[in-house]
Amino acid sequence: MTAGLIPENTARTYDCRQAFAEELIALAAEDPRVVAVCNDSVGSSNLVRFRELYPDRLINVGIAEQDLVGVGAGLANGGLIPFVSAAGPFLTGRATEQIKTDAAYNGLPVILCGQSPGMAYGELGPTHHSIEDLSWMRAIADLAVAVPADPAQTRAAVRWAAAHDGPVYLRIPRFKIPAVTPEDAPFRPGHSLQLTDGDDVTVMAVGTMVSRALTAAETLRAEGIGVRVLNMTFVEPMDTDAVLRAARETRGIVTAEEATTTGGLGAAVASVVAQNRPVPMRILGVHRRFAPTGSASFLLEHFGLTADGIAVAVRELLSHEQR
């Protein structure tokens, strides 16, 4: 769905982790059931102020991610609203069984907050890169998977998750990113946001890639190429209606995610397209490889996860289609 105009000032960048922390504190002030659970990550989860204000509502289990999720599930079963926060690779990699069995299988409203996902940890390498999380979490039944694209969506995601009757995985970006969400845009599972119009190619992006997709669309517009940019937000449940509209109304689809391509956004879109209305596609992400050593910005450039990389994929798709 198209939701108004994109804010004019996109030059400034913002920290979504700060927006997450501020909204969590606001929620806690309104509802005594809101609690935070972390794995010795009070600082990296931006929970220092929460601990100061609500010391008896922050549970630090230490470096024990399986216990982290189990404790969260127990709190939810007791009627509380637990925000279970940890670095994305450790939350999803070490506690997949507990997420599946303790939270999702029991339908408990546990809010799993994957901090610093993608390749945000840069030089710390593949052990600290959270690129498999979308694939792993999307595979678990009855688990919503949401990827906010900026602080406004992060705040909306926190609010929505607290009211949602079921488990949620929220991917909280570490990179500072510009505001891309139109004012008063809705935040609903299974609904995307159309940010630009275009009849040539649709670019579907999540998280940190949304602002890059908008920059690519602007560059391509100067070349006479109309790009429809969709912020997909929910990898699960996905906005299949928007995917099928894009397949009908544009000449191809490019997906962009700071994640592996073997099971996340691109794979989900490809599955819908292949079974209903096949169109040319390009799936941008990490193609089943471990990253080399380098900064986060170097790695994004290395894997083509930039505005230029998206623009190249759009041009290649159109060029191939015209042969």
Side-chain angles (χ1 to χ4, degrees):
M1 61 180 297
T2 305
L5 298 174
I6 302 168
E8 292 182 5
N9 182 12
T10 57
R12 292 181 59 192
T13 57
Y14 306 87
D15 190 338
C16 291
R17 295 173 304 162
Q18 186 64 32
F20 161 78
E22 291 172 355
E23 202 64 27
L24 183 59
I25 288 170
L27 270 178
E30 300 165 15
D31 191 335
R33 296 175 300 163
V34 172
V35 295
V37 192
C38 70
N39 62 333
D40 199 27
S41 59
V42 174
S44 60
S45 292
N46 273 25
L47 293 174
V48 173
R49 183 60 177 159
F50 186 97
R51 182 177 60 184
E52 291 173 353
L53 293 171
Y54 306 107
D56 58 341
R57 290 159 66 180
L58 173 67
I59 300 169
N60 188 344
V61 304
I63 303 175
E65 286 76 15
Q66 294 169 336
D67 287 343
L68 176 77
V69 176
V71 168
L75 293 169
N77 195 44
L80 299 178
I81 303 173
F83 281 78
V84 176
S85 183
F90 309 133
L91 175 60
T92 61
R94 292 179 179 168
T96 303
E97 180 184 357
Q98 285 68 34
I99 293 171
K100 170 187 171 182
T101 306
D102 295 354
Y105 180 57
N106 287 295
L108 293 172
V110 180
I111 300 129
L112 304 156
C113 306
Q115 305 282 350
S116 304
M119 291 174 287
Y121 279 121
E123 293 93 337
L124 293 179
T127 58
H128 284 61
H129 296 164
S130 185
I131 61 171
E132 301 88 358
D133 58 340
L134 296 184
S135 301
W136 292 338
M137 297 298 98
R138 178 176 164 254
I140 296 175
D142 300 328
L143 177 66
V145 180
V147 190
D150 65 3
Q153 275 210 316
T154 301
R155 293 179 186 277
V158 169
R159 288 269 164 185
W160 170 81
H164 179 62
D165 186 21
V168 179
Y169 177 63
L170 297 182
R171 209 180 198 235
I172 311 297
R174 182 183 182 91
F175 295 131
K176 286 190 173 183
I177 47 182
V180 297
T181 303
E183 194 171 344
D184 299 324
F187 189 92
R188 298 198 302 271
H191 289 262
S192 61
L193 292 174
Q194 182 174 325
L195 301 179
T196 65
D197 294 322
D199 297 327
D200 290 317
V201 174
T202 299
V203 175
M204 300 179 181
V206 288
T208 59
M209 298 307 299
V210 175
S211 58
R212 297 179 175 97
L214 289 171
T215 301
E218 185 176 353
T219 298
L220 292 164
R221 189 178 300 113
E223 302 173 15
I225 300 172
V227 176
R228 177 182 305 181
V229 174
L230 295 181
N231 174 6
M232 296 305 289
T233 307
F234 279 87
V235 177
E236 182 63 40
M238 173 166 286
D239 189 348
T240 55
D241 289 342
V243 172
L244 293 176
R245 278 197 304 274
R248 289 193 305 268
E249 298 171 1
T250 63
R251 295 153 63 187
I253 295 171
V254 174
T255 63
E257 58 196 307
E258 194 187 334
T260 182
T261 59
T262 51
L265 172 69
V269 171
S271 178
V272 172
V273 168
Q275 295 180 81
N276 294 278
R277 193 178 180 91
V279 294
M281 280 191 67
R282 295 292 184 274
I283 299 175
L284 301 183
V286 180
H287 295 281
R288 207 168 181 272
R289 293 170 55 196
F290 290 119
T293 301
S295 66
S297 59
F298 164 80
L299 292 173
L300 292 173
E301 185 77 32
H302 177 78
F303 289 110
L305 297 175
T306 61
D308 287 344
I310 294 171
V312 167
V314 170
R315 295 188 196 104
E316 288 179 348
L317 187 151
L318 291 174
S319 175
H320 180 78
E321 190 215 17
Q322 291 167 357
R323 291 175 188 172

